[in-house]
Amino acid sequence: MGYINVGAYIDGERPKTKKALTDALANNPGSVRFDRTSPLDGSDGKAIAGDAIPETDTLTVTGPDPYTSRKWYASVKRTPTGPKVIR
């Protein structure tokens, strides 16, 4: 199990609230992209699609923007019914 620090985009824009992220993942996970914020996570740096979160990983989302505006935090995990905000 791993944790990956990310920011989120919904249809190319940062979600303003955690609820907006939750709703997008529930209604259209393909519209969500997560961008990695750490160069040290051992990845190739590519974005993660909302409907392709690795089963063993938890995404730690900082929003609305992980670099300039850290107003909310969320943990996103893939479940049997699709991706969900778990905190």
Side-chain angles (χ1 to χ4, degrees):
M1 175 173 165
Y3 291 90
I4 303 171
N5 295 324
V6 298
Y9 286 97
I10 300 171
D11 291 325
E13 296 194 17
R14 297 276 189 200
K16 297 200 184 316
T17 64
K18 187 176 187 178
K19 182 176 180 350
L21 176 62
T22 302
D23 291 347
L25 286 171
N27 298 321
N28 187 6
S31 70
V32 181
R33 294 280 180 269
F34 297 98
D35 57 314
R36 298 168 190 262
T37 60
S38 173
L40 304 176
D41 67 6
S43 72
D44 56 8
K46 292 184 180 176
I48 302 168
D51 52 3
I53 298 170
E55 289 183 15
T56 58
D57 294 330
T58 299
L59 304 183
T60 306
V61 185
T62 304
D65 188 302
Y67 303 106
T68 62
S69 181
R70 298 175 180 174
K71 295 181 180 175
W72 53 266
Y73 300 90
S75 294
V76 177
K77 192 159 183 66
R78 184 170 162 186
T79 68
T81 58
K84 291 202 187 290
V85 173
I86 55 173
R87 284 187 261 170

